[in-house]
Coordinates of all heavy atoms in Angstrom, one line a residue:
M26 N 107.0 85.1 89.5 CA 106.2 86.3 89.7 C 106.2 87.1 88.4 O 107.3 87.3 87.8 CB 106.8 87.2 90.8 CG 106.1 88.4 91.1 SD 106.9 89.5 92.4 CE 107.1 88.5 93.8
N27 N 105.0 87.5 87.9 CA 105.0 88.2 86.7 C 105.2 89.7 87.0 O 105.3 90.1 88.1 CB 103.7 88.0 85.9 CG 102.5 88.5 86.7 OD1 102.5 89.6 87.3 ND2 101.4 87.8 86.6
Q28 N 105.3 90.5 85.9 CA 105.6 91.9 86.1 C 104.6 92.7 86.9 O 104.9 93.5 87.7 CB 105.8 92.6 84.7 CG 106.2 94.0 84.8 CD 106.4 94.6 83.4 OE1 106.2 94.0 82.4 NE2 106.9 95.9 83.4
N29 N 103.3 92.4 86.7 CA 102.3 93.1 87.5 C 102.4 92.7 89.0 O 102.2 93.6 89.8 CB 100.9 92.7 86.9 CG 100.5 93.3 85.6 OD1 101.2 94.3 85.2 ND2 99.6 92.8 84.9
E30 N 102.6 91.5 89.3 CA 102.8 91.1 90.7 C 104.0 91.8 91.3 O 104.0 92.2 92.4 CB 102.9 89.6 90.8 CG 101.6 88.9 90.5 CD 101.8 87.4 90.3 OE1 102.9 86.9 90.0 OE2 100.8 86.6 90.6
A31 N 105.1 91.9 90.5 CA 106.3 92.5 91.0 C 106.0 94.0 91.3 O 106.5 94.6 92.3 CB 107.4 92.4 90.0
V32 N 105.3 94.7 90.4 CA 105.0 96.1 90.6 C 104.1 96.2 91.8 O 104.3 97.1 92.7 CB 104.3 96.7 89.4 CG1 103.7 98.1 89.6 CG2 105.3 96.8 88.2
A33 N 103.1 95.4 92.0 CA 102.2 95.4 93.1 C 103.0 95.2 94.4 O 102.8 95.9 95.4 CB 101.1 94.4 93.0
A34 N 103.9 94.3 94.4 CA 104.7 94.0 95.6 C 105.6 95.2 96.0 O 105.7 95.6 97.1 CB 105.6 92.7 95.4
S35 N 106.2 95.8 95.0 CA 107.0 97.0 95.2 C 106.2 98.1 95.8 O 106.6 98.8 96.7 CB 107.6 97.4 93.9 OG 108.3 98.6 94.0
N36 N 105.0 98.3 95.3 CA 104.1 99.4 95.8 C 103.7 99.1 97.2 O 103.6 100.0 98.0 CB 102.9 99.5 94.9 CG 103.2 100.2 93.6 OD1 104.2 100.9 93.4 ND2 102.4 100.0 92.6
L37 N 103.4 97.8 97.5 CA 103.1 97.5 98.9 C 104.2 97.7 99.9 O 104.0 98.2 101.0 CB 102.6 96.0 99.0 CG 101.2 95.7 98.4 CD1 101.0 94.2 98.3 CD2 100.2 96.4 99.2
V38 N 105.4 97.4 99.4 CA 106.6 97.6 100.3 C 106.8 99.1 100.5 O 107.0 99.6 101.7 CB 107.9 97.1 99.6 CG1 109.1 97.6 100.3 CG2 107.9 95.5 99.6
S39 N 106.6 99.9 99.5 CA 106.7 101.4 99.6 C 105.7 102.0 100.6 O 106.0 102.7 101.5 CB 106.6 102.1 98.3 OG 107.7 101.7 97.5
S40 N 104.4 101.6 100.4 CA 103.4 102.1 101.2 C 103.5 101.7 102.7 O 103.2 102.4 103.6 CB 102.0 101.9 100.6 OG 101.8 100.5 100.5
A41 N 103.8 100.4 102.9 CA 104.0 99.9 104.2 C 105.1 100.5 104.9 O 105.0 100.9 106.1 CB 104.1 98.4 104.2
T42 N 106.2 100.8 104.2 CA 107.4 101.4 104.8 C 107.1 102.8 105.2 O 107.4 103.3 106.3 CB 108.6 101.3 103.8 OG1 108.9 100.0 103.5 CG2 109.8 102.0 104.4
L43 N 106.4 103.6 104.3 CA 106.0 104.9 104.6 C 105.1 105.0 105.8 O 105.3 105.8 106.7 CB 105.4 105.6 103.4 CG 104.8 107.0 103.7 CD1 106.0 108.0 104.0 CD2 104.1 107.5 102.5
A44 N 104.1 104.1 105.8 CA 103.2 104.1 107.0 C 103.9 103.8 108.3 O 103.7 104.5 109.3 CB 102.1 103.1 106.7
A45 N 104.8 102.9 108.2 CA 105.6 102.5 109.4 C 106.5 103.7 109.9 O 106.6 103.9 111.1 CB 106.4 101.3 109.2
L46 N 107.1 104.3 108.9 CA 108.0 105.5 109.2 C 107.2 106.6 109.9 O 107.6 107.1 110.9 CB 108.7 106.0 108.0 CG 109.5 107.3 108.1 CD1 110.7 107.0 109.1 CD2 110.0 107.7 106.8
L47 N 106.0 106.9 109.3 CA 105.2 108.0 109.9 C 104.7 107.6 111.3 O 104.7 108.4 112.2 CB 104.1 108.3 108.9 CG 104.5 109.0 107.6 CD1 103.3 109.1 106.7 CD2 105.1 110.3 107.9
R48 N 104.3 106.4 111.4 CA 103.8 105.9 112.7 C 104.9 106.0 113.8 O 104.7 106.4 114.9 CB 103.3 104.5 112.7 CG 102.7 104.0 114.0 CD 101.9 102.8 113.9 NE 100.7 103.1 113.2 CZ 100.1 102.3 112.4 NH1 100.6 101.1 112.1 NH2 98.9 102.6 111.8
C49 N 106.1 105.6 113.4 CA 107.3 105.6 114.3 C 107.6 107.1 114.7 O 107.8 107.4 115.9 CB 108.5 105.0 113.6 SG 110.0 105.0 114.6
L50 N 107.6 108.0 113.7 CA 107.9 109.4 114.0 C 106.8 110.0 114.9 O 107.1 110.8 115.7 CB 108.1 110.2 112.7 CG 109.3 109.8 111.9 CD1 109.3 110.5 110.5 CD2 110.6 110.1 112.6
L51 N 105.6 109.6 114.7 CA 104.5 110.0 115.5 C 104.7 109.5 116.9 O 104.6 110.3 117.9 CB 103.2 109.6 114.9 CG 101.9 110.0 115.6 CD1 101.8 111.5 115.5 CD2 100.7 109.3 115.0
Q52 N 105.0 108.3 117.1 CA 105.1 107.7 118.4 C 106.3 108.3 119.2 O 106.3 108.4 120.4 CB 105.3 106.2 118.3 CG 104.0 105.5 118.0 CD 104.1 104.0 117.7 OE1 105.2 103.5 117.6 NE2 103.0 103.3 117.6
K53 N 107.4 108.6 118.5 CA 108.6 109.2 119.1 C 108.4 110.7 119.4 O 109.3 111.3 120.0 CB 109.8 109.0 118.2 CG 110.2 107.6 118.2 CD 111.5 107.4 117.3 CE 111.9 106.0 117.3 NZ 113.3 105.8 117.6
G54 N 107.3 111.3 118.9 CA 107.1 112.7 119.2 C 107.8 113.6 118.2 O 107.7 114.8 118.3
T55 N 108.4 113.0 117.2 CA 109.0 113.9 116.2 C 108.0 114.6 115.3 O 108.2 115.7 114.9 CB 109.9 113.0 115.3 OG1 110.9 112.3 116.1 CG2 110.7 113.8 114.3
L56 N 106.9 113.9 115.0 CA 105.8 114.5 114.3 C 104.6 114.5 115.2 O 104.4 113.6 116.0 CB 105.5 113.6 113.0 CG 106.5 113.6 111.9 CD1 106.1 112.7 110.8 CD2 106.8 115.0 111.4
E57 N 103.7 115.4 114.9 CA 102.4 115.4 115.5 C 101.3 114.8 114.5 O 101.6 114.8 113.3 CB 102.0 116.8 116.0 CG 103.0 117.3 117.0 CD 102.6 118.7 117.5 OE1 101.5 119.2 117.2 OE2 103.4 119.4 118.1
A58 N 100.2 114.5 115.1 CA 99.1 113.9 114.2 C 98.8 114.8 113.0 O 98.6 114.4 111.9 CB 97.9 113.7 115.0
R59 N 98.8 116.1 113.2 CA 98.5 117.0 112.1 C 99.6 117.0 111.0 O 99.3 117.2 109.9 CB 98.3 118.5 112.6 CG 99.5 119.2 113.1 CD 99.2 120.7 113.4 NE 100.3 121.4 113.8 CZ 100.8 121.5 115.1 NH1 100.1 121.1 116.1 NH2 101.9 122.2 115.3
D60 N 100.9 116.7 111.5 CA 101.9 116.6 110.5 C 101.7 115.4 109.6 O 102.0 115.4 108.4 CB 103.3 116.5 111.2 CG 103.6 117.7 112.0 OD1 103.3 118.8 111.6 OD2 104.2 117.5 113.2
V61 N 101.3 114.3 110.2 CA 101.1 113.0 109.5 C 100.0 113.3 108.5 O 100.0 112.9 107.3 CB 100.8 111.9 110.4 CG1 100.5 110.6 109.6 CG2 102.0 111.6 111.3
R62 N 98.9 113.9 109.0 CA 97.8 114.2 108.1 C 98.2 115.1 106.9 O 97.8 114.8 105.8 CB 96.7 114.9 108.9 CG 95.4 115.2 108.1 CD 94.3 115.6 109.0 NE 93.1 115.6 108.3 CZ 92.3 114.6 108.0 NH1 92.7 113.4 108.5 NH2 91.2 114.7 107.3
E63 N 99.1 116.0 107.2 CA 99.6 116.9 106.1 C 100.3 116.1 105.1 O 100.2 116.4 103.9 CB 100.4 118.0 106.7 CG 100.9 119.1 105.7 CD 101.7 120.2 106.4 OE1 101.4 120.5 107.6 OE2 102.6 120.7 105.7
V64 N 101.1 115.1 105.5 CA 101.8 114.3 104.5 C 100.8 113.6 103.6 O 101.0 113.6 102.3 CB 102.7 113.3 105.2 CG1 103.2 112.2 104.3 CG2 103.8 113.9 106.0
Y65 N 99.8 113.0 104.1 CA 98.8 112.3 103.3 C 98.0 113.3 102.4 O 97.7 113.0 101.3 CB 97.9 111.5 104.1 CG 98.6 110.2 104.6 CD1 99.1 110.0 105.8 CD2 98.8 109.1 103.7 CE1 99.8 108.9 106.2 CE2 99.4 108.0 104.0 CZ 99.9 107.9 105.3 OH 100.6 106.7 105.7
E66 N 97.7 114.5 102.9 CA 97.0 115.5 102.1 C 97.9 116.0 101.0 O 97.5 116.2 99.9 CB 96.6 116.7 103.0 CG 95.4 116.3 103.9 CD 95.1 117.4 104.9 OE1 95.8 118.4 105.1 OE2 94.0 117.2 105.6
S67 N 99.2 116.1 101.2 CA 100.2 116.5 100.2 C 100.2 115.4 99.1 O 100.3 115.6 97.9 CB 101.5 116.7 100.8 OG 101.5 117.9 101.6
A68 N 100.2 114.1 99.6 CA 100.2 113.0 98.7 C 99.0 113.1 97.7 O 99.1 112.8 96.5 CB 100.3 111.7 99.4
L69 N 97.8 113.4 98.3 CA 96.6 113.5 97.5 C 96.8 114.6 96.4 O 96.5 114.4 95.2 CB 95.4 113.9 98.3 CG 94.7 112.7 99.0 CD1 93.6 113.2 99.9 CD2 94.1 111.8 98.0
L70 N 97.4 115.7 96.8 CA 97.6 116.8 95.9 C 98.6 116.4 94.8 O 98.4 116.7 93.6 CB 98.1 118.1 96.6 CG 97.1 118.8 97.5 CD1 97.8 119.9 98.2 CD2 96.0 119.4 96.6
L71 N 99.6 115.7 95.1 CA 100.6 115.2 94.1 C 99.9 114.2 93.2 O 100.1 114.3 91.9 CB 101.8 114.6 94.8 CG 102.7 115.5 95.5 CD1 103.8 114.7 96.3 CD2 103.4 116.4 94.5
L72 N 99.1 113.3 93.7 CA 98.4 112.4 92.8 C 97.4 113.1 91.9 O 97.4 112.8 90.7 CB 97.6 111.4 93.7 CG 98.3 110.3 94.3 CD1 97.4 109.5 95.2 CD2 98.9 109.3 93.2
E73 N 96.7 114.1 92.4 CA 95.8 114.9 91.5 C 96.6 115.6 90.4 O 96.1 115.6 89.3 CB 95.0 115.9 92.3 CG 94.0 115.2 93.2 CD 93.3 116.2 94.2 OE1 93.5 117.4 94.1 OE2 92.5 115.7 95.0
H74 N 97.7 116.1 90.7 CA 98.5 116.8 89.7 C 99.0 115.8 88.7 O 98.9 116.1 87.5 CB 99.7 117.5 90.4 CG 100.7 118.1 89.4 ND1 100.4 119.3 88.7 CD2 101.9 117.8 89.0 CE1 101.4 119.6 87.9 NE2 102.3 118.7 88.1
Q75 N 99.6 114.7 89.1 CA 100.1 113.7 88.2 C 98.9 113.1 87.3 O 99.1 112.9 86.2 CB 100.7 112.5 89.0 CG 102.1 112.9 89.6 CD 103.1 113.3 88.5 OE1 103.2 112.7 87.5 NE2 103.8 114.4 88.8
Q76 N 97.8 112.9 87.9 CA 96.6 112.4 87.2 C 96.2 113.4 86.1 O 95.8 113.0 85.0 CB 95.4 112.2 88.2 CG 94.2 111.6 87.5 CD 93.1 111.3 88.5 OE1 93.2 111.7 89.6 NE2 92.1 110.5 88.1
G77 N 96.3 114.7 86.4 CA 96.0 115.7 85.4 C 96.9 115.7 84.2 O 96.5 116.1 83.1
I78 N 98.1 115.3 84.4 CA 99.1 115.4 83.2 C 99.4 114.0 82.6 O 100.1 114.0 81.7 CB 100.4 116.1 83.7 CG1 101.1 115.3 84.8 CG2 100.2 117.5 84.1 CD1 102.5 115.9 85.1
S79 N 98.8 113.0 83.2 CA 99.1 111.7 82.7 C 97.8 111.0 82.2 O 96.9 110.7 83.0 CB 99.7 110.8 83.8 OG 99.9 109.5 83.3
P80 N 97.6 110.9 80.9 CA 96.4 110.4 80.3 C 96.2 108.9 80.6 O 95.1 108.4 80.6 CB 96.5 110.7 78.8 CG 97.9 110.8 78.6 CD 98.6 111.3 79.8
K81 N 97.2 108.2 80.9 CA 97.1 106.7 81.1 C 97.1 106.4 82.6 O 97.5 107.2 83.4 CB 98.3 106.0 80.4 CG 98.3 106.1 78.9 CD 99.5 105.4 78.3 CE 99.5 105.5 76.8 NZ 100.5 104.7 76.2
G82 N 96.5 105.3 82.9 CA 96.5 104.8 84.3 C 95.5 105.5 85.2 O 95.7 105.5 86.4
Q83 N 94.5 106.0 84.6 CA 93.5 106.8 85.4 C 92.9 105.9 86.5 O 92.7 106.4 87.6 CB 92.4 107.3 84.5 CG 92.9 108.5 83.6 CD 93.4 109.7 84.4 OE1 92.7 110.2 85.2 NE2 94.6 110.1 84.1
E84 N 92.7 104.6 86.3 CA 92.1 103.7 87.3 C 93.0 103.6 88.5 O 92.6 103.6 89.6 CB 91.8 102.4 86.7 CG 90.6 102.4 85.7 CD 90.3 101.0 85.1 OE1 91.0 100.0 85.5 OE2 89.4 101.0 84.3
A85 N 94.3 103.5 88.2 CA 95.3 103.4 89.3 C 95.3 104.7 90.1 O 95.4 104.7 91.4 CB 96.7 103.2 88.7
F86 N 95.2 105.9 89.5 CA 95.2 107.1 90.2 C 93.9 107.2 91.1 O 94.0 107.6 92.3 CB 95.2 108.3 89.3 CG 96.5 108.6 88.7 CD1 96.8 108.4 87.4 CD2 97.5 109.2 89.5 CE1 98.0 108.7 86.8 CE2 98.8 109.5 89.0 CZ 99.0 109.2 87.6
I87 N 92.8 106.8 90.5 CA 91.5 106.8 91.3 C 91.6 105.9 92.5 O 91.2 106.3 93.6 CB 90.4 106.5 90.4 CG1 90.1 107.6 89.3 CG2 89.1 106.2 91.2 CD1 89.2 107.2 88.2
A88 N 92.2 104.7 92.3 CA 92.3 103.8 93.4 C 93.2 104.3 94.5 O 93.0 104.1 95.7 CB 92.7 102.4 92.9
A89 N 94.3 104.9 94.1 CA 95.3 105.4 95.0 C 94.7 106.5 95.8 O 94.9 106.6 97.1 CB 96.6 105.9 94.3
R90 N 94.0 107.4 95.2 CA 93.4 108.6 95.9 C 92.3 108.1 96.8 O 92.2 108.6 98.0 CB 92.8 109.5 94.9 CG 93.8 110.3 94.1 CD 93.3 111.3 93.1 NE 92.2 112.1 93.6 CZ 91.3 112.6 92.9 NH1 91.2 112.3 91.6 NH2 90.3 113.4 93.4
A91 N 91.5 107.1 96.4 CA 90.5 106.5 97.3 C 91.1 105.9 98.6 O 90.6 106.1 99.7 CB 89.7 105.5 96.6
A92 N 92.2 105.2 98.4 CA 92.9 104.6 99.6 C 93.4 105.6 100.5 O 93.2 105.5 101.8 CB 94.0 103.7 99.1
I93 N 94.0 106.7 100.0 CA 94.5 107.8 100.9 C 93.3 108.5 101.6 O 93.4 108.7 102.8 CB 95.4 108.7 100.1 CG1 96.7 108.0 99.7 CG2 95.7 109.9 101.0 CD1 97.5 108.9 98.8
E94 N 92.3 108.8 100.8 CA 91.1 109.5 101.4 C 90.5 108.6 102.5 O 90.1 109.2 103.5 CB 90.1 109.8 100.3 CG 90.6 110.9 99.4 CD 89.8 111.1 98.1 OE1 88.9 110.2 97.8 OE2 90.0 112.1 97.4
Q95 N 90.4 107.3 102.3 CA 89.8 106.4 103.3 C 90.7 106.5 104.5 O 90.1 106.5 105.6 CB 89.7 105.0 102.7 CG 89.0 104.1 103.7 CD 88.9 102.7 103.1 OE1 89.4 102.4 102.0 NE2 88.2 101.8 103.8
S96 N 92.0 106.5 104.4 CA 92.9 106.5 105.6 C 92.7 107.8 106.3 O 92.7 107.8 107.5 CB 94.3 106.4 105.1 OG 94.6 105.1 104.6
L97 N 92.6 108.9 105.6 CA 92.4 110.2 106.2 C 91.1 110.3 107.0 O 91.0 110.9 108.0 CB 92.4 111.3 105.2 CG 93.8 111.7 104.6 CD1 93.7 112.6 103.4 CD2 94.6 112.3 105.7
Q98 N 90.0 109.7 106.5 CA 88.7 109.7 107.1 C 88.7 108.7 108.3 O 88.0 109.0 109.3 CB 87.6 109.3 106.1 CG 87.4 110.3 105.1 CD 86.4 109.9 104.0 OE1 85.9 108.8 104.0 NE2 86.2 110.7 103.0
G99 N 89.4 107.7 108.3 CA 89.3 106.6 109.3 C 90.2 106.8 110.5 O 90.1 106.1 111.5
S100 N 91.2 107.8 110.4 CA 92.1 107.9 111.5 C 92.3 109.4 111.8 O 92.6 110.2 110.9 CB 93.5 107.3 111.1 OG 94.5 107.5 112.0
P101 N 92.3 109.7 113.1 CA 92.5 111.1 113.5 C 93.9 111.7 113.0 O 94.0 112.8 112.7 CB 92.4 111.1 115.0 CG 91.8 109.8 115.4 CD 92.1 108.9 114.3
S102 N 94.9 110.8 113.0 CA 96.2 111.3 112.6 C 96.4 111.3 111.1 O 97.3 111.9 110.6 CB 97.3 110.4 113.2 OG 97.3 109.1 112.6
G103 N 95.5 110.6 110.4 CA 95.6 110.5 109.0 C 96.5 109.3 108.6 O 96.6 109.0 107.4
A104 N 97.1 108.6 109.5 CA 98.0 107.5 109.2 C 97.1 106.2 109.1 O 96.1 106.1 109.8 CB 99.0 107.3 110.4
P105 N 97.4 105.4 108.2 CA 96.6 104.2 108.0 C 96.7 103.4 109.3 O 97.7 103.4 110.0 CB 97.3 103.4 106.9 CG 98.1 104.4 106.2 CD 98.5 105.5 107.2
P106 N 95.6 102.7 109.7 CA 95.5 101.9 110.9 C 96.5 100.8 110.9 O 96.9 100.3 109.9 CB 94.1 101.4 111.0 CG 93.4 101.8 109.7 CD 94.3 102.7 109.0

């Protein structure tokens, strides 16, 4: 596995784990749908902030924001399907 594949795999593990955690907390009633949506909206704000101060990797920021925005539009809870 090359370095790019390792980074991609690490990112997939992180995003899948976060989505699973949020879904579990939602199903257990610990969080409500609006709480999950707020997490993803906060993630968008953090990405926008980081994008503004980081001149490199703009394509990655754009792709990450698009993925989160798509999840927010496609699910009432804001959690990825």
Side-chain angles (χ1 to χ4, degrees):
M26 179 182 309
N27 67 37
Q28 185 177 3
N29 287 341
E30 291 169 332
V32 169
S35 176
N36 287 337
L37 286 171
V38 168
S39 295
S40 61
T42 301
L43 174 63
L46 174 63
L47 291 173
R48 182 169 289 145
C49 179
L50 293 172
L51 182 65
Q52 289 173 345
K53 290 182 179 226
T55 305
L56 294 177
E57 294 181 15
R59 71 175 185 265
D60 299 321
V61 175
R62 183 171 192 80
E63 187 177 326
V64 168
Y65 283 101
E66 288 173 349
S67 293
L69 275 176
L70 289 174
L71 289 170
L72 280 173
E73 289 173 6
H74 175 73
Q75 289 297 319
Q76 185 177 9
I78 62 174
S79 179
K81 295 184 180 180
Q83 292 298 306
E84 290 179 5
F86 283 111
I87 292 167
R90 287 177 52 208
I93 293 173
E94 288 168 351
Q95 183 177 8
S96 293
L97 285 169
Q98 292 173 358
S100 174
S102 69

